[in-house]
Amino acid sequence: MKVTGYQLREAIKMKHSEVAILNSQYEETLYAFDGDKKKLPHELIYEISKLEAEIALLQTAQSWYNVNVKIHFNGREMLLENAVKLVGGISRCGAMWRIAAEGTKRDRYTSYAESRVRKKDEEVAQLTVDKEFALSGVKQAAKEGSALRGLISSANNNSIEIEFIDEKLLS
């Protein structure tokens, strides 16, 4: 069957939601009054196990999709799988640059007057990164992250054949 990355992702999310709902009902199945019409614990566990197997198959298909779809980023071709893993690192680096660009914030336990006092006889650590340089790092990480997320989004629209997936699994 031909599927897109979005179809796989949404099907996985839906199955996870179904599992969460069933998991929340489990404790209720452990006790029943005479005449109650409830699922038995083993029936609920069977349904959960079936969904978990479907999630595993969908995740396998998603991995297969991600290693069979390619994008071009920063002048080189890479697998979608690599791009998905790379975007998180770019975002984390951007956050680190943001900390450097913003500078240290005054400790809330330090009075305003104490934060403004100079002590000539004490050595004070100096910034190792110029704030303008750090800001350029923030901008570069944001630019790369945005570009990569856009490429990932476009790549997830590609429809490719995955033989071991059927339409029933996506609903």
Side-chain angles (χ1 to χ4, degrees):
M1 167 178 190
K2 283 193 165 239
V3 295
T4 67
Y6 283 123
Q7 287 176 300
L8 293 169
R9 185 186 72 193
E10 292 306 311
I12 291 167
K13 282 172 46 178
M14 183 57 70
K15 302 279 183 197
H16 275 296
S17 294
E18 291 179 51
V19 168
I21 290 166
L22 291 175
N23 279 334
S24 72
Q25 298 171 9
Y26 179 71
E27 285 190 35
E28 296 173 21
T29 67
L30 297 175
Y31 301 94
F33 292 102
D34 284 340
D36 278 355
K37 301 278 185 190
K38 289 184 171 185
K39 288 182 184 176
L40 295 171
H42 67 275
E43 294 170 331
L44 197 63
I45 289 171
Y46 173 78
E47 286 181 47
I48 291 169
S49 296
K50 185 175 177 242
L51 283 167
E52 292 287 359
E54 291 174 355
I55 290 169
L57 186 59
L58 285 165
Q59 288 173 330
T60 300
Q62 187 179 45
S63 294
W64 194 91
Y65 182 93
N66 289 346
V67 298
N68 283 284
V69 172
K70 295 179 182 174
I71 65 164
H72 292 280
F73 178 67
N74 280 350
R76 66 184 181 110
E77 185 178 76
M78 69 172 63
L79 298 176
L80 180 58
E81 179 78 6
N82 184 250
V84 168
K85 305 294 184 196
L86 184 60
V87 75
I90 291 172
S91 295
R92 286 187 293 279
C93 288
M96 291 165 57
W97 279 122
R98 203 169 301 108
I99 290 168
E102 291 171 357
T104 57
K105 294 178 176 60
R106 188 170 48 91
D107 184 341
R108 67 179 177 179
Y109 299 109
T110 304
S111 72
Y112 181 73
E114 287 175 322
S115 70
R116 307 275 303 181
V117 172
R118 286 188 180 157
K119 297 179 182 174
K120 292 182 179 181
D121 59 333
E122 291 185 17
E123 183 179 359
V124 178
Q126 301 299 311
L127 283 174
T128 59
V129 176
D130 176 74
K131 290 187 186 268
E132 289 300 317
F133 182 78
L135 184 57
S136 70
V138 170
K139 289 177 181 177
Q140 182 63 30
K143 180 181 168 186
E144 286 184 9
S146 177
L148 192 54
R149 281 188 289 281
L151 290 169
I152 290 168
S153 180
S154 293
N156 274 312
N157 277 323
N158 290 332
S159 183
I160 65 171
E161 184 71 33
I162 301 180
E163 293 176 10
F164 58 91
I165 295 295
D166 63 20
E167 197 171 333
K168 182 174 73 171
L169 193 58
L170 296 175
S171 58

